[in-house]
């Protein structure tokens, strides 16, 4: 694969970026940031995972039109790539990585929508087609996709997480390990928005599925958030007006957030914590403007329960904030570069000792037309800045960028320390970690 400049994909140390550091930046010299050339700017269709079982991660990306899937090795070399017929207009082609057939191998799962078709393709670790699953046509959303999203849920309590497929037109499917349909739930609102969230909310050993769907692009009573049983029944549904100022819930996590021994569900939108019956326990609606992403971990020993990290995007009040399991705001991170938007903040095991930090990167504002310097920031669990690393980014003429940047945190090289994998607008991946 070649980049826009015609050069082969490459991998290099970004020591030159350290020269961009300003005097007020805190400097931890024990880090390294490397760059990989992808050749396009992936949006939501980006995953990181060890698909070939060698103990190191690969980078799985789909170009914004959904037609080119590429898997890069850790050094930036192309492991394999595939051309797929798709009509994506918003960089949201459905993509997932996991063992979908219980054979012990990781598969790449992707939406495939040729003219008159609506398929899910399953590719083996070498990129060979294992299965093509054909579904009813459904409806294409504003981005041009009918296959909307994938998830994994243990719907029968046997310890294996089955593949869940959301299809626009209001459909949800659960597939067994032979990739046959276990159940189909229809009648949801027309457009699935945007992701499938799973976990055992009621503690019965079977996962529930949380998903948003809307009837139109208007924020009205037809924008709803659903909790669905492992058997495919709607357990409860709520209008988005009861959750937050949006037409859907972008992210949700099921975990024992309060530290009480029972699982609860936290939404990024509105910052709402619900119990298994759908009762609201607490909300951060007055503290955030547009909650886009959420992460959960135990990072503070001086605070009971786990902690919730919510990051914002459109019309943000702050890039991210840390909240206790009881809904108390512990700190806010309010720094951001000029002409920038926040991205997905994560907890990260920076030193490989189990102690979690927070990491967040800037991205260019949606229509920002020129090259500028932005930053990735590492904070400790009390909100103190540990490290700021600058990088340069710019738009590439003719390339689409939807500004819903999808970074990842993973131990990419198998050394026990997690790295931050950060796609940028000019078609690169930045891999930042402790040296």
């Amino acid at each position: 694969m070649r980049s826009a400049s015609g050069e082969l994909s490459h991998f290099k140390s970004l020591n030159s970026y350290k020269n961009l550091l300003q005097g007020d930046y805190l400097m931890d010299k024990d880090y390294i940031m490397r760059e990989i050339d992808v050749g396009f700017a992936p949006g939501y269709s980006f995953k990181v995972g060890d698909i070939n079982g060698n103990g190191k991660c690969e980078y799985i990306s789909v170009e914004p039109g959904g037609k080119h899937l590429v898997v890069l090795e850790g050094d930036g070399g192309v492991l394999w790539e595939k051309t797929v017929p798709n009509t994506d207009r918003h960089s949201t082609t459905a993509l997932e990585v996991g063992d979908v057939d219980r054979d012990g191998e990781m598969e790449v799962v992707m939406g495939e929508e040729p003219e008159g078709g609506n398929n899910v393709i399953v590719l083996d670790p070498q990129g060979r087609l294992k299965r093509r699953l054909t579904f009813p046509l459904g409806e294409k959303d504003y981005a041009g996709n009918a296959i909307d999203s994938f998830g994994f849920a243990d719907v029968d309590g046997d310890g294996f997480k089955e593949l869940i497929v959301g299809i626009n037109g209001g459909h949800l499917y659960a597939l067994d390990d032979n990739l046959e349909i276990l159940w189909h739930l229809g009648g949801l609102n027309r457009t699935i928005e945007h992701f499938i969230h799973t976990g055992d909310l009621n503690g019965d050993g079977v996962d529930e599925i949380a998903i948003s769907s809307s009837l139109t692009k208007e924020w009205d009573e037809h924008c709803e958030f659903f909790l669905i049983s492992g058997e495919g029944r709607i357990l409860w549904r709520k209008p988005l007006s009861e959750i937050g100022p949006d037409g859907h819930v972008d992210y949700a996590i099921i975990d024992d957030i309060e530290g009480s021994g029972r699982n609860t569900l936290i939404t990024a939108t509105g910052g709402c914590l619900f119990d298994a019956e759908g009762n609201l326990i607490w909300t951060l609606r007055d503290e955030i403007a547009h909650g886009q992403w959420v992460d959960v971990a135990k990072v503070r020993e001086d605070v009971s329960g786990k902690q919730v990290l919510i990051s914002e995007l459109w019309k943000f009040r702050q890039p991210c904030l840390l909240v206790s399991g009881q809904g108390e705001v512990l700190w806010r991170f309010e720094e951001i570069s000029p002409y920038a938007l926040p991205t997905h903040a994560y907890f990260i095991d920076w030193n490989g000792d189990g102690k979690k930090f927070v990491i967040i990167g800037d991205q260019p504002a949606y229509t920002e037309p020129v090259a500028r310097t932005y930053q990735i920031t590492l904070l400790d669990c009390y909100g103190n800045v540990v490290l700021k690393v600058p990088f340069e980014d710019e738009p590439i003429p003719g390339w689409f960028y939807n500004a819903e940047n999808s970074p990842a945190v993973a131990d990419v090289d198998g050394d026990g320390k997690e790295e931050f994998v950060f796609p940028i607008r000019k078609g690169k991946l930045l891999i930042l970690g402790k040296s």
Side-chain angles (χ1 to χ4, degrees):
M1 184 189 70
R2 295 183 178 272
S3 69
S5 64
E7 297 178 351
L8 290 174
S9 298
H10 62 280
F11 174 84
K12 64 182 181 180
S13 174
L14 298 186
N15 291 327
S16 60
Y17 281 177
K18 295 185 180 182
N19 297 328
L20 295 172
L21 288 168
Q22 304 298 314
D24 59 345
Y25 282 4
L26 296 177
M27 185 64 175
D28 178 352
K29 295 182 180 180
D30 294 330
Y31 79 90
I32 184 169
M33 186 158 73
R34 303 166 292 180
E35 178 185 287
I36 288 178
D37 188 351
V38 182
F40 53 82
Y44 271 130
S45 307
F46 175 69
K47 300 292 179 182
V48 177
D50 179 11
I51 66 170
N52 60 9
N54 68 351
K56 299 181 180 181
C57 288
E58 286 73 45
Y59 309 108
I60 304 98
S61 308
V62 180
E63 58 84 22
K67 296 179 175 64
H68 184 204
L69 167 67
V70 60
V71 178
L72 300 179
E73 296 180 297
D75 63 359
V78 177
L79 183 62
W80 52 265
E81 51 192 325
K82 189 173 184 65
T83 299
V84 183
N86 270 320
T87 56
D88 191 356
R89 297 189 296 269
H90 202 66
S91 199
T92 54
T93 297
L95 178 71
E96 193 52 88
V97 176
D99 181 5
V100 300
D101 55 7
R102 214 189 296 240
D103 66 351
E105 291 187 335
M106 298 286 279
E107 286 84 31
V108 176
V109 186
M110 181 180 175
E112 178 197 59
E113 301 180 32
E115 183 69 28
N118 194 37
N119 306 323
V120 172
I121 56 173
V122 179
L123 307 171
D124 74 7
Q126 290 75 45
R128 297 172 300 211
L129 181 68
K130 293 184 77 171
R131 290 285 298 275
R132 175 175 281 109
L133 312 172
T134 299
F135 290 88
L137 287 180
E139 299 181 22
K140 291 187 182 293
D141 62 9
Y142 61 89
N145 300 312
I147 302 291
D148 184 87
S149 49
F150 304 121
F152 294 103
D154 183 0
V155 300
D156 53 13
D158 68 349
F160 178 77
K161 290 188 177 290
E162 286 79 17
L163 179 65
I164 310 297
V165 181
I167 297 180
N168 289 312
H171 302 279
L172 195 67
Y173 292 86
L175 308 181
D176 65 17
D177 55 9
N178 291 314
L179 299 177
E180 302 294 335
I181 295 173
L182 281 170
W183 51 256
H184 164 228
L185 173 64
L188 300 174
N189 297 322
R190 181 178 300 139
T191 303
I192 306 297
E193 303 264 17
H194 289 294
F195 300 100
I196 295 170
H197 321 280
T198 69
D200 183 7
L201 183 56
N202 61 11
D204 65 352
V206 174
D207 285 345
E208 283 74 45
I209 300 160
I211 194 167
S212 293
S213 69
S214 60
L215 191 58
T216 69
K217 290 196 71 175
E218 300 297 324
W219 292 3
D220 58 20
E221 69 273 13
H222 299 295
C223 299
E224 295 181 283
F225 184 61
F226 297 83
L227 187 74
I228 297 162
S229 75
E231 298 173 337
R233 295 181 294 106
I234 295 174
L235 298 174
W236 47 261
R237 61 202 297 174
K238 292 184 177 296
L240 260 293
S241 58
E242 294 183 9
I243 297 176
D246 204 336
H248 54 266
V249 171
D250 284 283
Y251 269 76
I253 290 178
I254 295 171
D255 203 339
D256 180 9
I257 293 167
E258 298 172 296
S260 64
R262 67 165 184 173
N263 282 350
T264 49
L265 183 152
I266 182 72
T267 64
T269 304
C272 294
L273 190 74
F274 294 104
D275 67 16
E277 287 72 43
N279 300 308
L280 180 65
I281 301 170
W282 50 257
T283 180
L284 300 169
R285 279 192 292 255
D286 295 335
E287 305 290 344
I288 58 178
H290 183 275
Q292 182 82 10
W293 300 284
V294 64
D295 201 1
V296 172
K298 178 64 177 176
V299 299
R300 293 269 295 265
E301 295 302 326
D302 61 330
V303 180
S304 63
K306 294 184 179 179
Q307 286 74 59
V308 177
L309 179 65
I310 293 181
S311 37
E312 300 200 65
L313 181 55
W314 309 112
K315 298 180 180 179
F316 62 94
R317 186 172 299 179
Q318 61 265 307
C320 67
L321 70 168
L322 189 72
V323 183
S324 75
Q326 287 68 45
E328 175 190 0
V329 176
L330 300 174
W331 52 259
R332 305 172 190 269
F333 177 63
E334 299 180 310
E335 298 179 30
I336 192 167
S337 301
Y339 310 101
L341 288 170
T343 63
H344 192 157
Y346 279 98
F347 294 118
I348 183 170
D349 186 356
W350 179 256
N351 294 314
D353 58 2
K355 179 182 177 182
K356 296 285 187 178
F357 290 75
V358 170
I359 195 161
I360 185 171
D362 297 341
Q363 64 175 328
Y366 191 60
T367 57
E368 184 55 32
V370 298
R372 297 189 186 276
T373 298
Y374 302 93
Q375 64 189 24
I376 297 170
T377 304
L378 182 73
L379 304 106
D380 67 18
C381 62
Y382 295 93
N384 301 307
V385 175
V386 175
L387 173 68
K388 289 187 180 182
V389 180
F391 64 92
E392 293 177 342
D393 203 2
E394 62 183 319
I396 303 298
W399 285 16
F400 176 79
Y401 183 73
N402 74 359
E404 298 193 359
N405 183 297
S406 296
V409 165
D411 179 7
V412 300
D413 52 11
D415 67 350
K417 296 175 288 188
E418 290 182 329
E419 285 79 29
F420 186 52
V421 184
F422 192 67
I424 60 175
R425 189 172 185 174
K426 63 182 180 180
K428 315 286 186 182
L429 298 180
L430 305 181
I431 298 96
L432 175 65
K434 184 85 169 180
S435 61

